[in-house]
Amino acid sequence: MQRFILTGAPGAGKTAILRQLELDGFAVVEEAATDVIALGQAQGVLEAWKQSSFIDAIVDLQKQRKLRAAIMPDEFQFHDRSAICTASLAAYLGYPVSEALSRELERIMTEAIFQSRVFFVRNLGFISPTEARRISFEDALRFERIHEETYRCFGFEIVSIERGSLSDRVAAIKQAAGIHAK
């Protein structure tokens, strides 16, 4: 099984790409941070990212989703973000790498869970705020730089998925992953 990471700055179009890959018949694993934020908001915590438990909550949900995905018999899986993204988020927010995050980073690297090539979806030149995404475009660009640097530090090869139509971006991912017409 080949597990690919799909990542990039907030608002870059990752979710749309993931939905298209899913419609094309590929297994996908959802990202966790947005769901942790949404759950916090439902519980009355309007800015979950300011909670000391935020990073570990993301790590826990990512790990649960990855473990469930491990039983999927698909040849290709696309993961919307990974623990490396969570390490980038911790750096962006100025949080230390927690013990739980450190263990998960070590595990995914030691076990080589993901392909060494990561699909880095480039920003669209703007950002649309949502309840969970309250980041300016300038801050998203700063996060994008931290994100890319973190992946490189962990030894991943960055495959840039540039701005373009959804179909062009999905085609670029499939081509780079070595996926032929499905």
Side-chain angles (χ1 to χ4, degrees):
M1 175 184 314
Q2 295 185 56
R3 293 181 187 98
F4 292 98
I5 299 168
L6 186 68
T7 195
K14 295 176 303 298
T15 302
I17 292 169
L18 199 72
R19 290 286 75 83
Q20 185 60 59
L21 289 166
E22 185 176 37
L23 287 172
D24 290 349
F26 296 100
V28 300
V29 178
E30 305 294 332
E31 68 100 13
T34 302
D35 290 340
V36 169
I37 293 169
L39 177 60
Q41 289 172 341
Q43 295 170 333
V45 179
L46 298 181
E47 296 179 329
W49 54 89
K50 292 184 177 179
Q51 303 292 310
S52 61
S53 60
F54 180 61
I55 296 297
D56 286 350
I58 295 169
V59 171
D60 290 343
L61 185 53
Q62 284 174 327
K63 190 173 181 181
Q64 288 174 28
R65 288 178 174 174
K66 195 173 336 109
L67 291 172
R68 280 195 303 267
I71 62 172
M72 294 179 190
D74 302 279
E75 181 180 355
F76 298 99
Q77 280 184 6
F78 293 93
H79 291 246
D80 187 353
R81 300 200 182 273
S82 75
I84 295 149
C85 298
T86 308
S88 301
L89 180 59
Y92 171 79
L93 293 172
Y95 294 155
V97 173
S98 70
E99 188 176 319
L101 177 54
S102 181
R103 280 193 311 268
E104 183 63 4
L105 290 167
E106 184 176 328
R107 187 181 79 80
I108 66 172
M109 296 308 292
T110 300
E111 296 177 20
I113 291 175
F114 296 107
Q115 298 299 308
S116 62
R117 302 174 79 200
V118 60
F119 298 113
F120 201 101
V121 180
R122 298 298 174 180
N123 73 75
L124 295 170
F126 63 91
I127 193 162
S128 299
T130 67
E131 281 299 310
R133 186 188 316 127
R134 299 180 189 178
I135 187 172
S136 70
F137 182 63
E138 293 74 25
D139 285 340
L141 291 177
R142 185 169 72 82
F143 182 59
E144 183 179 59
R145 286 189 300 275
I146 292 168
H147 215 115
E148 185 170 357
E149 182 180 300
T150 304
Y151 269 95
R152 288 189 194 284
C153 285
F154 276 92
F156 283 86
E157 175 189 346
I158 302 292
V159 177
S160 287
I161 304 302
E162 301 298 335
R163 296 177 194 167
S165 70
L166 177 60
S167 59
D168 287 346
R169 290 174 126 191
V170 170
I173 289 169
K174 288 178 182 179
Q175 180 180 6
I179 298 171
H180 306 291
K182 184 172 180 172

